[in-house]
Each structure stands twice: as C-alpha cells, then as structure tokens.
Amino acid sequence: MNPKLTSSQQRTICSQLGRVKLQLLYKASIHGFTAAAFHQRCDTRGPTVSVGYNASGFVFGGYTKQPFSQSGQYVNDDQAFLFTFSGEKLLKYPVTGPANAVRMIGNSGPYFGEALVLVHGSQPVVYNNPGNYYNFNAAEMHGNDLNLTECEVYQVEETTEMEKPWRTVIWESETRTELMESIKSYKPTVSSVSQSRVLLIGPVGAGKSSFFNSINSVFRGHVTSQAISGSATTSLTTQFRSYSLKAGREGKPLPVILCDTMGLEESTGSGLNVDDISNILKGHLPDRYQFNPSVPLDSEAPSYRKSPVLKDKIHCVTYIIDACKVSIMPTKLEEKLEAIRRKVNLMGIPQLVLLTKVDEACPLVKEDVRNVYKSDYIKEMMQEVSTRLGVPLSCVVPVKNYSEELELDPNCDILLLSAVKQMLRFADNYFDDISDQFSKMELKE
C-alpha cells in the first residue's frame, strides 16, 4: 500500500507533531469509500492525520490526537487542527472549539467538528462548513471541489532513534584534530601535483559556495564567508572559481583546491552549461572565467587553456544536493545531472555526493547533528539520492554547512572534514588509475 502523500509532505506534517512518523492505515481507493471500511481500519487508533485529495490538485485534511470510534459523541482535543498544502507549504487552521474538535460518527469518515468531513455519508465527497469549531477559507483549503479522488488516514507513531548508528563516527575533539592533521599532511600520490582539484556541482542554492566557506571556517577557527553564498533562485556564482584553502590565517595552502561552478538550473539556457563541464574537467577553464549559460567556452577564446597538464585537471567531482529537495528534484534537473555524470564517467573521474542541509531535513539532526547516522529519514534520503544519481551509497556523505552560526561546532566540523578526507581519497583513486595507465603504456613500449 503506497502512500499518496509525498515524503516531503509527510515530513512537513511531522515537523508540526514532534519526533514522529506516519503509518498508512486506510486508503479509500483500496479499502472503499465507505464509513464501514474507514472505521474497521481506524477505530481505536490515534493520533491520526486524515488526508483528502481532489481532482483540482488540493491536498487537505485534519489531525487529532483522539482515537476514532462510533459513539456519536464529540470529543475534546485542544491540539486538533485542519490543514491544506499550498505548494510545499502547510497552512494550518487550529481548532477554535476544542470541546467539539472531532465527532465520532458511524456513517461517515473522519469528522472534524461540524466544519470538515471526509467520506461524508459513505460517499467519495467532502462536507464543508467553515466556522463550526474551525475557521478556514474553503477556496484556499480545497478550491471548493468537494469530490474526493482519494482519502487516506495515517497513524502518527513516535519514532525512536536507531539504537545503533549505521555508520560509525567518534564524536570527540581528537577526531576533529586527527582529521585536520590528515588533511594538512596529505600529499597526492603523483609528484607533479601538489593540490588535488575537486569540482563542486549542484543545483542553485544547494550549498556549493557555503561548503567552501564552511571548510574555510573550520581551518580559520571561526565562521567566515569568502565565497558569495545565500538563498536566491538564480546562481549567485557566475564565475568559475578555484579556491585554495589555508591552514589558518597565515598558514600554508592546504593540499586541496575546491572549484566552484555556476549553479545548475532546470531550464535550458540558464545556469551552468553542461558543455562547459567538459572544459572544466579537462582543465581548459582559467580561474575567474565568466560563465555564459547560453554559450559554452570556445577553444579559440583568449582565456582558453590550450594544453592543460595533470595539475590543471579535475581529480574528483562532488555533487552538492540539498537533503530537503531530494524527493522533489525536477526531472529536467535530474536529466542535466545524468548528462554530467555520463561525461564524468567517460573520463574516469571519481564522483562523490554531499547531502547538505541535513539539519533542516530532519528534526532529530536539528536537535543534535550527532544523530545524523541514527536518523531513518536521512538514511532514506541518502539511499534515494544514491539511486537518482546512480552512485553507490558509500559515495554519499551528509554535511551541515555553516549558514547562520557565529561560532564553530566541533560535531559539524567532523562531518565537514570527513567529507574533505573522502574527496582526497577519491582523488588518490584517480591518480592511481593514471599511474596504472602510464605503467601499462611504458610496458607496451
């Protein structure tokens, strides 16, 4: 039985209710648009979220902590509310008469006050009467379309943290120090290269520039922002930037360069041009190259690097994906990422995925970032992004960038530094492959 509510909608509802998940009890298209079917599956069960769907595309319903019955009585519930979705946003209509919050009627589905009834009179219809113990605008809630195409009731269940994290992280200051030292002392396995170049690719607003700023902050010892970052609908990065990180303010350059690109956008002719990617991977693009979304760089352009060497090329590609948007990734964007992935695969460059904003995606992680590998939800998102981008789960790493904080958090640092360490390991795989190819060529000669 598949829920019609998207995982994003489920998460939005759950965020109103605490540390919970939704379990589907009743689905009218399977069990029948009848009061009998509803009561058989839902009586004595609570708390619940009841959801109606109509042909006009509205998703609306109500929450009650009280278990359903057929007593004919009203029950008191001061936490009950009605709701509707406006895009991804939840509009809530709290109960105004808690003593009459829910009525336990035998010949109807979920019955909220006298204001909203789903599967009214055992029919696929809605009874609607705003102002009776709940105030709402009918046009806003369901567009005045009172015919149901589907009705679902979910039980709200407490979620417990996983007893055991599914990836092991030692959350101690020594771990942070060890990670920083291993990054500082890293040397690429090829002597002609002193710094591994990692290309960051991702949709607008996923957190590419913020990731660079966050890593920079960790090594500077305080939150800083050198790369332009923020929330916008079009890319804030318009140039190709190669950022060298330093170990401290006056410190030596670190052995990793993070290359920031323009954000990917759904529509053609906007955001990063997929054809520019090949030039970046091969090392033809100079630092501060100004992107033109509609035209890729021409090999005759004065800024084109005609004979790049190994140190100019990209040694690892990292996709930056917002955890909150995995399940609602537009098809066009997925197709662009797929086209890029194919190009990268052909060139034999290792690929990693950073899942950002894990704290915004999961209340457990917002509470404590150390719960990141105990969260069922984050694991699901990582599995989904692994499937969508066609990379193994072992290549997906969750991080939380610094965005609003003024001080560093050692646990966030551990996630961020682990991501950089993984990038360097992947770059080493690339150098090893290159060395193997050279060895084979020498043997042939």
Side-chain angles (χ1 to χ4, degrees):
M1 201 164 57
N2 291 324
K4 193 170 168 69
L5 267 186
T6 66
S7 50
S8 168
Q9 289 168 333
Q10 289 186 48
R11 188 174 67 248
T12 304
I13 291 171
C14 290
S15 68
Q16 303 291 319
L17 304 173
R19 197 181 285 184
V20 297
K21 62 179 181 185
L22 300 182
Q23 194 64 40
L24 187 55
L25 296 175
Y26 163 74
K27 190 175 178 78
S29 60
I30 292 176
H31 304 118
F33 281 94
T34 67
F38 156 71
H39 284 293
Q40 186 195 345
R41 310 245 350 146
C42 304
D43 279 2
T44 73
R45 310 293 281 271
T48 53
V49 171
S50 303
V51 192
Y53 305 81
N54 63 25
S56 307
F58 287 83
V59 178
F60 58 99
Y63 162 82
T64 175
K65 65 181 182 186
Q66 296 287 8
F68 288 113
S69 73
Q70 299 174 57
S71 65
Q73 306 297 311
Y74 283 108
V75 293
N76 189 318
D77 185 355
D78 58 355
Q79 288 166 35
F81 62 86
L82 301 181
F83 65 85
T84 189
F85 277 94
S86 171
E88 286 300 309
K89 199 167 160 240
L90 187 79
L91 305 179
K92 246 172 98 172
Y93 313 101
V95 64
T96 54
N100 302 83
V102 185
R103 196 168 178 196
M104 301 303 173
I105 295 287
N107 69 344
S108 278
Y111 205 108
F112 291 91
E114 292 294 336
L116 186 80
V117 184
L118 303 175
V119 192
H120 184 235
S122 284
Q123 295 297 317
V125 295
V126 176
Y127 171 80
N128 168 73
N129 193 5
N132 284 290
Y133 315 120
Y134 296 88
N135 292 325
F136 60 90
N137 177 321
E140 179 181 69
M141 181 186 269
H142 44 57
N144 287 314
D145 177 353
L146 302 180
N147 293 310
L148 289 171
T149 55
E150 182 64 280
C151 176
E152 294 178 326
V153 178
Y154 295 82
Q155 178 148 12
V156 177
E157 296 180 352
E158 294 280 324
T159 57
T160 50
E161 289 180 30
M162 286 186 192
E163 287 306 306
K164 207 165 170 251
W166 57 279
R167 270 186 195 166
T168 312
V169 177
I170 297 162
W171 301 100
E172 288 172 7
S173 57
E174 289 77 25
T175 308
R176 181 180 181 274
T177 311
E178 283 164 20
L179 284 165
M180 286 181 83
E181 287 311 314
S182 77
I183 291 166
K184 283 182 198 174
S185 60
Y186 164 83
K187 284 187 175 61
T189 51
V190 174
S191 55
S192 64
V193 178
S194 60
Q195 291 172 297
S196 293
R197 289 173 74 85
V198 177
L199 178 64
L200 307 179
I201 296 177
V204 170
K208 293 181 302 302
S209 304
S210 298
F211 175 71
F212 163 75
N213 288 334
S214 299
I215 297 296
N216 204 15
S217 300
V218 176
F219 282 97
R220 287 288 178 96
H222 61 88
V223 176
T224 174
S225 77
Q226 183 181 339
I228 299 168
S229 65
S231 52
T233 49
T234 55
S235 186
L236 290 167
T237 307
T238 58
Q239 292 180 329
F240 174 65
R241 291 305 319 268
S242 304
Y243 291 112
S244 187
L245 296 145
K246 280 186 181 164
R249 197 170 166 199
E250 304 297 326
K252 293 196 321 227
L254 291 170
V256 61
I257 290 174
L258 295 177
C259 301
D260 196 7
T261 55
M262 197 172 184
L264 288 175
E265 294 180 37
E266 291 172 63
S267 45
T268 20
S270 61
L272 181 64
N273 190 308
V274 174
D275 293 324
D276 268 333
I277 295 278
S278 296
N279 287 324
I280 297 173
L281 297 174
K282 291 172 185 168
H284 293 302
L285 286 200
D287 185 29
R288 295 188 184 274
Y289 165 70
Q290 187 71 38
F291 288 112
N292 178 346
S294 44
V295 190
L297 177 65
D298 178 30
S299 59
E300 296 308 311
S303 56
Y304 188 85
R305 195 186 279 136
K306 280 199 163 61
S307 311
V309 290
L310 185 58
K311 71 178 180 63
D312 301 320
K313 297 181 179 182
I314 295 299
H315 312 130
C316 168
V317 168
T318 299
Y319 302 101
I320 311 280
I321 305 291
D322 178 345
C324 304
K325 295 187 176 162
V326 174
S327 47
I328 53 167
M329 190 187 288
T331 313
K332 285 271 195 308
L333 200 56
E334 213 169 320
E335 286 167 0
K336 272 193 179 180
L337 282 164
E338 174 59 25
I340 293 167
R341 204 173 60 78
R342 280 200 300 270
K343 281 180 193 280
V344 179
N345 275 346
L346 285 170
M347 295 175 70
I349 302 169
Q351 299 167 78
L352 187 68
V353 178
L354 292 195
L355 195 65
T356 59
K357 306 187 187 182
V358 286
D359 55 320
E360 289 176 35
C362 173
L364 259 183
V365 180
K366 196 174 188 71
E367 205 174 278
D368 187 342
V369 79
R370 289 175 298 183
N371 289 329
V372 70
Y373 290 123
K374 289 182 175 180
S375 160
D376 277 325
Y377 183 72
I378 294 298
K379 188 175 186 185
E380 271 172 39
M381 286 299 99
M382 288 170 70
Q383 284 166 330
E384 187 172 343
V385 85
S386 142
T387 308
R388 279 174 181 254
L389 294 188
V391 298
L393 187 57
S394 58
C395 299
V396 183
V397 181
V399 293
K400 177 194 177 310
N401 289 333
Y402 288 113
S403 57
E404 53 192 22
E405 300 80 359
L406 296 175
E407 299 300 328
L408 297 177
D409 169 359
N411 297 320
C412 282
D413 292 356
I414 287 171
L415 283 182
L416 289 160
L417 292 165
S418 301
V420 175
K421 190 170 180 181
Q422 206 61 5
M423 289 171 183
L424 297 177
R425 282 178 177 162
F426 277 39
D428 271 350
N429 294 346
Y430 175 72
F431 296 134
D432 290 347
D433 284 351
I434 295 280
S435 304
D436 288 349
Q437 284 167 25
F438 278 129
S439 308
K440 282 173 188 162
M441 281 161 70
E442 282 167 7
L443 283 171
K444 278 179 186 171
E445 286 167 11

